[in-house]
Amino acid sequence: SAVISQKPSRDICQRGTSLTIQCQVDSQVTMMFWYRQQPGQSLTLIATANQGSEATYESGFVIDKFPISRPNLTFSTLTVSNMSPEDSSIYLCSVPGLIYNEQFFGPGTRLTVL
Amino acid sequence: GESVGLHLPTLSVQEGDNSIINCAYSNSASDYFIWYKQESGKGPQFIIDIRSNMDKRQGQRVTVLLNKTVKHLSLQIAATQPGDSAVYFCAENNSQGGTSYGKLTFGQGTILTVHP
């Protein structure tokens, strides 16, 4: 299994600012995923981050709002730009496991935008 | 930690009872269906999956049933324990021949509360 850590674990931010969330994995992985979990909701995939290429964004998510970096095989960042209260969510990163459908998730970053 | 299940369906059971959590899915082309468990303040944790050409799969204390006719998935937990209290999500994976590997579409989720 993979051990994933995220920083920060939570933050309270002002509208109009940006926050960068870090995701660190204890092993090298090709693919990393970023999800959003809005209050009382399920998880929605934001983008897939592959090392050495541009992230692939899902419908409804754009790079200008959620820029992603993937500098190496163990690390990725997601930035939430120009935040509004609607961006208040838990943001999670995940990596695939050895079992086809198993993904290991980080603990999440709980973001509150005032 | 703060609950993420404020608006999700709930299921309350007594310790030792069997629990059945249901999920409806929409994409008939999905290859796999998966159940995840999310405890408060943590990320989801894989429980069990089932391939689309199967209708039943058993794990340790859990059984997943798939009814493709009505696009319905269920998770049965035997002898439910207080440690099973969590939010349970179903998820679909449509690999599209491998081009969408790992991309999961999550269902709504159900809050399971087990009373001692």
Side-chain angles (χ1 to χ4, degrees), chain A residues 6 10 31 33 35 37-45 48 56-58 90 92-108 110 112, chain B residues 1-8 31-34 36 38 41-46 49-50 89-90 93-95 98 100-109:
Chain A
Q6 288 185 232
R10 59 176 61 221
M31 303 173 73
F33 303 98
Y35 288 85
Q37 187 172 26
Q38 294 176 299
Q41 302 292 323
S42 185
L43 286 78
T44 302
L45 181 63
T48 303
T56 304
Y57 289 82
E58 297 300 306
I90 299 173
L92 303 110
C93 64
S94 73
V95 301
L98 294 178
I99 301 174
Y100 182 69
N101 290 300
E102 182 174 22
Q103 286 192 17
F104 296 104
F105 284 83
R110 185 177 299 275
T112 302
Chain B
E2 180 182 336
S3 169
V4 298
L6 296 176
H7 308 295
L8 301 177
D31 301 306
Y32 287 88
F33 302 89
I34 312 106
Y36 278 84
Q38 186 176 27
K42 298 182 179 180
Q45 180 182 12
F46 174 91
D49 66 350
I50 186 169
F89 293 98
C90 63
N93 184 357
N94 179 3
S95 65
S100 297
Y101 174 74
K103 291 175 61 173
L104 302 179
T105 301
F106 280 80
Q108 181 182 24

Side-chain angles (χ1 to χ4, degrees), chain A:
Chain A
S1 66
V3 177
I4 304 172
S5 60
Q6 288 185 232
K7 290 182 180 179
S9 58
R10 59 176 61 221
D11 207 343
I12 301 173
C13 301
Q14 296 297 319
R15 155 196 316 260
T17 63
S18 298
L19 176 71
T20 296
I21 301 168
Q22 300 179 6
C23 179
Q24 180 75 52
V25 188
D26 68 342
S27 57
Q28 294 184 336
V29 292
T30 303
M31 303 173 73
M32 295 179 75
F33 303 98
W34 285 98
Y35 288 85
R36 180 177 71 183
Q37 187 172 26
Q38 294 176 299
Q41 302 292 323
S42 185
L43 286 78
T44 302
L45 181 63
I46 298 172
T48 303
N50 294 317
Q51 196 272 335
S53 64
E54 291 287 328
T56 304
Y57 289 82
E58 297 300 306
S59 176
F61 298 96
V62 295
I63 187 170
D64 290 346
K65 176 66 176 178
F66 297 102
I68 287 171
S69 78
R70 185 78 205 276
N72 57 54
L73 291 174
T74 63
F75 187 79
S76 178
T77 67
L78 170 77
T79 298
V80 186
S81 303
N82 188 25
M83 289 183 286
S84 67
E86 291 71 34
D87 294 319
S88 297
S89 295
I90 299 173
Y91 292 86
L92 303 110
C93 64
S94 73
V95 301
L98 294 178
I99 301 174
Y100 182 69
N101 290 300
E102 182 174 22
Q103 286 192 17
F104 296 104
F105 284 83
T109 295
R110 185 177 299 275
L111 170 63
T112 302
V113 184
L114 302 177

